[in-house]
Amino acid sequence: MTFVAQPFEAIVGATNVLTDAQHRRLYSQDVFNGDDGPIVDAVIRPADTAEVSAVVKVAAAQGLAIAPRGGGVSYTKGYVPDRAGTVLIDLARLNRIHEIAADDLYITVGAGCTWQQAAESLKGSGLRAVMKGPISGTHATVGGVAAQNSASDNMAAILALEAVTADGRVIRTGSSAIGAKAGPFYRYYGPDLTGLLLGDTGTFAIKTALTLALEPEPRGAAFASIGFETLSAMSDIMVAIARSGIKCKTLGMDPVKNRTATKVGVKEGLGTLAKVITAARSVTEGLKQAAKIAVAGQNVLADIPWSLHVTVEGHDQPAADHALAALRPIWTHRGREIEPSVPIAMRARPYSIRGIVGIAGERWVPVHGVFPLSKAQRVVSATEDYFTRHKARLDRHKIDHSFLTMVLGNMWLIEPMFYWFDELSALHATVLGDKFAKFKDIPANPAARAVVKELRGELAALFKELGAVHSQLGKFYDFAGNISPDTYAVLTSIKDALDPERRLNPGNLGWG
Ligand SMILES: Cc1cc2nc3c(=O)[nH]c(=O)nc-3n(C[C@H](O)[C@H](O)[C@H](O)COP(=O)(O)OP(=O)(O)OC[C@H]3O[C@@H](n4cnc5c(N)ncnc54)[C@H](O)[C@@H]3O)c2cc1C
């Protein structure tokens, strides 16, 4: 198990094998983890699937563990090594748009393509991907999200994958396994191998290309924002919206997020609002009007405790307006409708990495739980109790917290987030670019960080007790301890078939 650079350099070129300490530390960090602990022996940057396959074979021959990495903006130790003798495969150079099949409604992209790149490649086509990708889509890659699952997206809209297994084989899933005469248009051809490889956090195979379903851009969109006095009241409405069967996007924000959004609206949101107006010119009159509303209402959140933001799309504007009107009776007597600046601004600028730190440069880390709709109230009260119980400790260390909530289909998601002042990492510096300078002198605060680590772990354990499931499992959420032993044994035998030497991301999903 000794890393030797030369065979890797022969495949990807010497400039794409990074062995200096700075890069090794940087690529061993995620948003929350990896400031200490083992670091990778090298970062290898292949350009295409053939190079990934060759690199994997060399790593196997040298007895090394392999950590695949996309945009690196996760926070559950997914690619953070748990041992020396690991090489990191950076997939960022696999960012080509392979094919836009407008007639067949799919797009195939390299795994290292960001969500923003994928969306931009479709501009002007009248089409968009059914999956939107995460807010972090400026950096998060299509392969990274596929490897992690996303509770806020429609994973069924991944139609096919190309992936490299731990022994270097290149496999394809769904109809793409037939080859060029079929193409990657259909997922459910025999056992769903696509589904098997999703959410593995890179332990089953390295995704190298993905096919996403496309749909026509809807021409209508209608927005509503509603203020509530309590999280409980807001969650009730979210659940009722989900049960109405009217398709829409909802996002619930807490008092802290409301204040932050207002500040961002004043300080940094002008660019977003300008984008709203620009986008509206090229889209519909309805959106132009919406942009005016957003500008007028950008301060309305300041004195709202909890706020819910609803977006309804329609094939044209009357259809969207009609659907929103049908939803409105759900909240009319329970909340106060305010100007819908937030959903309008988010639609205009769906991707932003700014939230990787708090508004004043605080470190940030979330933890989430996904529940069936009927459990929302129980989880609300357990989560609120949890934070009340720990208030004195949080206050002592000046740790703030905030919640996001959302519904998608038949599930309700809660995502508490911790904020505290603490030295930012090399990863934060790289991701924030110019914006990092004003935060660079924040001193290290290991005591607060330790408290966040402990409380975040306890919150994950509480969610487990309440019956949560999670995306982004990595090495943080207790997947192995949460599912039945028989089910886990079947998954382990699949792991053993695909990666008998346990090279891919050892430690993830409980596989050492
Ligand atoms: C500001 C901010 C906002 C965010 N918003 C959201 C959000 O709205 N919704 C959401 O779900 N998440 C969100 N996230 C979390 C993050 O964006 C997701 O976890 C995303 O999936 C990370 O993608 P990535 O390409 O950076 O993956 P990475 O962090 O690079 O990797 C994540 C995991 O996937 C594996 N992996 C990566 N690429 C591959 C590949 N090609 N093949 C096999 N395994 C691979 C890695 O080994 C690791 O286990 C946010 C994060 C930040 C910082």
Side-chain angles (χ1 to χ4, degrees), residues 226-232 234-235 238 251-263 300-309 338 342 364 380 383-384 387 399-406 412-419:
I226 311 107
F228 295 92
E229 291 303 315
T230 62
L231 174 58
S232 168
M234 183 171 79
S235 302
M238 295 176 87
L251 178 71
M253 301 191 339
D254 76 336
V256 174
K257 275 272 168 226
N258 285 349
R259 284 197 298 278
T260 313
T262 302
K263 281 189 197 153
V300 292
L301 285 179
D303 49 345
I304 297 285
W306 297 85
S307 65
L308 177 62
H309 307 282
I338 53 179
V342 169
W364 162 85
V380 165
T383 309
E384 290 187 327
F387 279 102
I399 301 166
D400 221 339
H401 69 275
S402 175
F403 303 121
L404 283 182
T405 45
M406 66 177 67
W412 178 83
L413 176 146
I414 184 163
E415 186 166 57
M417 307 171 177
F418 295 91
Y419 292 92

Side-chain angles (χ1 to χ4, degrees), residues 29-31 66-80 88-91 94 110-115 133-153 162-164 197 200-210 346 350 352-357 364 366 368 404 406 413 415 431 471-475 504-505 508:
Q29 294 175 335
D30 68 14
V31 174
I66 299 167
R69 181 188 189 267
V73 287
S74 54
Y75 25 72
T76 52
K77 286 192 177 173
Y79 59 81
V80 174
L88 184 138
I89 300 186
D90 175 17
L91 292 143
L94 274 75
C113 187
T114 66
W115 288 90
I135 294 168
S136 52
T138 48
H139 291 70
T141 60
V142 176
V145 170
Q148 297 231 95
N149 274 342
S150 170
S152 59
D153 229 321
E162 176 192 78
V164 172
L197 299 183
D200 68 333
T201 69
T203 57
F204 280 169
I206 302 174
K207 273 52 91 179
T208 47
L210 301 98
M346 285 187 70
S352 164
I353 203 65
R354 176 60 183 82
I356 197 168
V357 293
W364 162 85
H368 70 265
L404 283 182
M406 66 177 67
L413 176 146
E415 186 166 57
V431 168
S471 53
Q472 311 175 354
L473 299 168
K475 299 179 189 71
L504 293 175
N505 274 339
N508 285 18

Side-chain angles (χ1 to χ4, degrees), residues 303-321:
D303 49 345
I304 297 285
W306 297 85
S307 65
L308 177 62
H309 307 282
V310 181
T311 303
V312 191
E313 296 179 334
H315 68 271
D316 60 14
Q317 193 57 39
D321 290 339

Side-chain angles (χ1 to χ4, degrees), residues 205-220:
I206 302 174
K207 273 52 91 179
T208 47
L210 301 98
T211 300
L212 305 174
L214 298 179
E215 64 185 6
E217 282 274 3
R219 280 175 291 130

Side-chain angles (χ1 to χ4, degrees), residues 135-189:
I135 294 168
S136 52
T138 48
H139 291 70
T141 60
V142 176
V145 170
Q148 297 231 95
N149 274 342
S150 170
S152 59
D153 229 321
N154 178 356
M155 299 297 292
I158 297 182
L159 300 180
L161 297 174
E162 176 192 78
V164 172
T165 56
D167 58 4
R169 271 176 300 172
V170 179
I171 57 172
R172 295 185 183 80
T173 68
S175 61
S176 73
I178 297 171
K181 72 179 175 190
F185 73 102
Y186 190 59
R187 172 163 160 178
Y188 302 101
Y189 184 51

Side-chain angles (χ1 to χ4, degrees), residues 329-406:
I330 295 175
W331 60 73
T332 302
H333 300 296
R334 298 282 305 276
R336 176 160 70 90
E337 211 164 321
I338 53 179
E339 300 291 12
S341 309
V342 169
I344 294 168
M346 285 187 70
R347 188 177 171 85
R349 191 188 184 193
Y351 306 120
S352 164
I353 203 65
R354 176 60 183 82
I356 197 168
V357 293
I359 195 133
E362 304 96 312
R363 277 191 87 150
W364 162 85
V365 69
V367 51
H368 70 265
V370 178
F371 297 91
L373 298 172
S374 62
K375 282 203 176 150
Q377 284 306 330
R378 222 176 111 205
V379 177
V380 165
S381 85
T383 309
E384 290 187 327
D385 282 355
Y386 182 82
F387 279 102
T388 306
R389 252 190 345 268
H390 292 285
K391 184 172 182 329
R393 202 160 168 221
L394 290 163
D395 288 350
R396 201 161 52 246
H397 290 278
K398 297 191 169 56
I399 301 166
D400 221 339
H401 69 275
S402 175
F403 303 121
L404 283 182
T405 45
M406 66 177 67

